[in-house]
Amino acid sequence: MCTDIKRIRVSPNRMTSLTDLYSLNYCRRWSSLPAPISRRSSTVNNPNYLTTANRKCNKWRFRCSVAKDSPIAPTISGESNSQPLLDCVIVGAGISGLCIAQALATKHAAFSPDVIVTEARDRVGGNISTVERDGYLWEEGPNSFQPSDPMLTMVVDSGLKDDLVLGDPTAPRFVLWGGGLKPVPSSPADLPFFDLMSFPGKLRAGFGALGFRPPPPDHEESIEEFVRRNLGDEVFERLIEPFCSGVYAGDPSKLSMKAAFGKVWNLEKNGGSIIGGAIKAIQKKNNSTKPPRDPRLPKPKGQTVGSFRKGQAMLPNAISKRLGSRVKLSWKLISISKLENRGYSLTYETPNGFASLQTKTVVMTVPSYVASDLLRPLSLEAAEALSKFYYPPVAAVSVSYPKEAIRADRLIDGQLKGFGQLHPRSQGVETLGTIYSSSLFPNRAPPGRVLLLNYIGGATNPGILSKTESQLVEAVDRDLRKMLINPKADEPLTLGVKVWPRAIPQFLIGHFDILDAAKFALSEGGFRGMFLGGNYVSGVALGRCVESAYDVAADVSNFLSLGAYK
């Protein structure tokens, strides 16, 4: 039986601010209630393992005024240090946290058998949000993923291989330019045959990729600087700028090329030019010996994207189901303290009161601004670094039209075909881009209807936060009638408007320096076993979060395998 797990008996609704967090730490000095947990899996998996403490905090202790830079919560020592610890607590049950937990369970179970995932909300998945209603199925967050082998491994290990759906690899992508939708080349070899760029623009891009361009500067370049220097103005304005808007909802004049598109940045660095670097990368790949591919994995054809039969939410839900009682929902982390040479104590507000877990390692996969608040009592330097990342607002607006509303010149064989369209900021529209959801994946809309997912807002348009849902729909509909929808068509059916006030972390110039500063502060502060994860660490694409999850799990396993805690 688990011994002496503490529960502070106060109203759960009392903890409403960061000030309350410090008040709780103050209250803990008086209560001195240790929070050990049994290391046995039977105890960890038992939802009733928490016991109630008789000690209560007086009401006034939660109302005392505490300075912002309060002292670090006291180290818990004494009897609690003799108790066994969990191997890992993962804070946040978004896709990063869940995939780290699954990677630990499938790849590193020998060193991390006791893992808990905690989530402040009452559901898993983070920004992944799928809605199904009235014959429609739409996404309110990320819409698809690149089916890389790490991603497919996660899919198979989650039991979703038969639910995987892949888009048509030949589906065209479009960019709004000059009042019309222009198809985007699917590969550099296609570039000469597309009318999105002029002939001089194509020549400039080709010579620049070969190395006939100005040398790299002695400072970190933005995406705009790198692309204009290497490939010319037309590639930037007609391809890369709308791509940045679609992926990052960001401003390419401020986004870091090294941080946001590191693979392309490394081509020039390693090969002297983009083409030279690509040739070296191919040679290295051909000369290296790689392990055989997992025979369980599907084999996608061409450059395609993936989702699931019932949408993106199937993945976090499937992982959560496999983890079972190791996932704790509605557990709001309110403080972290360092145990003396034994890891960490985490105090939570839960539906049943306040409770604590003790663990050898912690992985923070919450957004950086949340991690900043939680880590401030431990390391002011790390907290200050994590507070610097910027998350602009983005709204996902899902609307439906009858097929007859689509302009005739946009139909292929009588159907709206394609992945979707991107809108450069220079083209006089407010929406960042539109995904043809009902064309991309099956069973997304009733027969005779078209489902369109539109993104609006981002770093260049934070003013969407002041708009009503109807105003956002009006802006989307107005833009669509300029290039896709018949201007005389009926009003759209509005399915959902989801506004994310802090949507996508921006990988701005200096991003890696800030991230390294946070990690260095934790390391130098003696906080061994504290790991940072999430999309501000890995990259914003869903596939990158999954790939990074395997790396973080390996780091955690390696730390535990050193035997620092016995």
Side-chain angles (χ1 to χ4, degrees):
M1 177 179 293
C2 178
T3 57
D4 203 18
I5 296 296
K6 70 178 176 185
R7 169 81 48 75
I8 302 176
R9 301 284 293 177
V10 297
S11 171
N13 295 327
R14 297 298 299 259
M15 299 297 294
T16 59
S17 69
L18 185 60
T19 300
D20 290 332
L21 185 156
Y22 292 106
S23 300
L24 177 64
N25 285 339
Y26 178 79
C27 181
R28 289 173 61 195
R29 296 194 193 106
W30 290 85
S31 64
S32 301
L33 292 175
I37 183 170
S38 172
R39 191 177 189 277
R40 294 177 297 172
S41 298
S42 59
T43 302
V44 173
N45 293 330
N46 181 357
N48 298 315
Y49 68 90
L50 293 175
T51 59
T52 303
N54 293 323
R55 194 182 302 267
K56 298 181 180 179
C57 290
N58 291 330
K59 189 176 297 184
W60 67 267
R61 289 178 184 152
F62 283 89
R63 294 182 176 176
C64 60
S65 176
V66 182
K68 180 178 179 182
D69 296 328
S70 298
I72 295 177
T75 297
I76 297 176
S77 59
E79 183 183 358
S80 65
N81 273 353
S82 65
Q83 300 297 324
L85 306 173
L86 288 166
D87 294 306
C88 182
V89 170
I90 299 169
V91 182
I95 196 64
S96 293
L98 290 171
C99 289
I100 291 170
Q102 173 143 300
L104 287 171
T106 57
K107 306 291 185 183
H108 309 284
F111 294 111
S112 55
D114 294 339
V115 177
I116 292 289
V117 184
T118 64
E119 170 58 46
R121 286 179 279 192
D122 62 357
R123 66 171 186 87
V124 298
N127 287 356
I128 294 178
S129 178
T130 305
V131 182
E132 185 174 15
R133 187 173 64 240
D134 299 331
Y136 291 94
L137 190 149
W138 70 91
E139 304 289 351
E140 295 184 327
N143 179 77
S144 59
F145 55 81
Q146 296 290 329
S148 63
D149 279 2
M151 185 74 210
L152 292 175
T153 300
M154 190 64 63
V155 169
V156 171
D157 287 344
S158 303
L160 294 178
K161 181 177 181 179
D162 294 337
D163 293 293
L164 178 68
V165 292
L166 299 174
D168 180 0
T170 65
R173 279 88 161 163
F174 301 95
V175 167
L176 175 65
W177 192 261
L181 293 173
K182 307 291 186 181
V184 174
S186 59
S187 69
D190 296 333
L191 192 60
F193 308 103
F194 283 78
D195 63 354
L196 178 59
M197 293 174 57
S198 68
F199 182 70
K202 294 173 184 177
L203 282 180
R204 170 65 179 87
F207 280 115
L210 288 170
F212 298 96
R213 82 288 183 254
D218 58 0
H219 63 267
E220 184 177 354
E221 286 183 289
S222 69
I223 292 175
E224 180 175 1
E225 290 175 312
F226 180 93
V227 175
R228 288 189 187 274
R229 179 175 60 82
N230 275 277
L231 302 174
D233 295 341
E234 287 192 20
V235 170
F236 171 75
E237 294 166 359
R238 306 184 190 190
L239 286 172
I240 303 304
E241 190 272 339
F243 184 75
C244 289
S245 295
V247 175
Y248 281 92
D251 182 348
S253 68
K254 299 178 180 179
L255 291 169
S256 164
M257 186 68 191
K258 177 182 178 180
F261 298 112
K263 289 184 179 179
V264 178
W265 181 83
N266 274 312
L267 293 180
E268 182 188 33
K269 177 185 177 183
N270 297 332
S273 67
I274 293 177
I275 294 295
I279 293 173
K280 281 193 172 183
I282 293 173
Q283 291 173 340
K284 181 179 179 180
K285 181 178 179 181
N286 293 336
N287 293 332
S288 62
T289 302
K290 57 182 180 180
R293 189 171 187 265
D294 188 339
R296 304 176 303 157
L297 304 186
K299 296 181 180 179
K301 297 179 180 179
Q303 296 295 319
T304 186
V305 294
S307 183
F308 301 98
R309 180 177 52 84
K310 290 295 185 179
Q312 297 280 69
M314 288 192 76
L315 181 59
N317 290 340
I319 297 174
S320 178
K321 184 177 180 180
R322 287 180 171 251
L323 293 172
S325 61
R326 288 180 285 183
V327 178
K328 307 297 182 184
L329 299 181
S330 299
W331 276 44
K332 181 181 178 183
L333 179 61
I334 52 177
S335 71
I336 306 174
S337 59
K338 186 75 169 64
L339 298 174
E340 187 175 357
N341 299 321
R342 285 180 58 82
Y344 302 88
S345 177
L346 289 76
T347 301
Y348 289 88
E349 177 187 349
T350 80
N352 298 313
F354 292 98
S356 291
L357 299 176
Q358 293 189 5
T359 178
K360 302 172 186 176
T361 62
V362 177
V363 183
M364 303 289 291
T365 67
V366 292
S368 63
Y369 52 88
V370 177
S372 173
D373 288 344
L374 291 169
L375 293 176
R376 188 170 297 274
L378 293 179
S379 171
L380 180 61
E381 293 80 6
E384 289 298 318
L386 291 172
S387 70
K388 294 179 181 178
F389 295 121
Y390 171 51
Y391 292 67
V394 174
V397 181
S398 296
V399 294
S400 174
Y401 297 87
K403 285 187 176 180
E404 297 76 31
I406 306 298
R407 292 187 181 188
D409 61 344
R410 301 307 312 141
L411 300 176
I412 301 174
D413 298 329
Q415 302 291 327
L416 177 64
K417 294 184 178 181
F419 179 91
Q421 56 193 55
L422 294 173
H423 312 146
R425 300 298 82 210
S426 62
Q427 297 305 291
V429 295
E430 192 172 358
T431 49
L432 301 170
T434 300
I435 295 174
Y436 306 162
S437 299
S438 53
S439 301
L440 186 59
F441 300 122
N443 303 317
R444 262 38 179 185
R449 304 290 299 189
V450 172
L451 173 61
L452 303 175
L453 170 59
N454 309 270
Y455 295 105
I456 184 170
T460 60
N461 185 19
I464 64 161
L465 289 177
S466 64
K467 293 189 175 184
T468 65
E469 290 188 1
S470 61
Q471 288 174 328
L472 292 173
V473 173
E474 289 172 5
V476 166
D477 181 58
R478 181 173 58 248
D479 287 347
L480 290 175
R481 290 173 190 270
K482 294 178 181 179
M483 62 265 190
L484 184 66
I485 301 299
N486 191 319
K488 297 182 179 181
D490 292 339
E491 295 297 311
L493 170 64
T494 301
L495 297 171
V497 178
K498 177 66 175 181
V499 178
W500 301 93
R502 290 175 164 179
I504 304 172
Q506 300 296 285
F507 281 48
L508 304 177
I509 292 174
H511 182 91
F512 284 153
D513 293 335
I514 297 172
L515 183 59
D516 288 343
K519 292 180 178 179
F520 181 78
L522 291 174
S523 175
E524 288 298 295
F527 302 107
R528 300 171 61 244
M530 177 70 71
F531 299 89
L532 300 177
N535 59 1
Y536 72 94
V537 178
S538 63
V540 301
L542 193 153
R544 283 295 303 127
C545 293
V546 174
E547 292 170 17
S548 177
Y550 285 105
D551 296 333
V552 174
D555 290 340
V556 172
S557 177
N558 181 63
F559 178 85
L560 293 171
S561 70
L562 296 177
Y565 302 111
K566 294 294 187 180

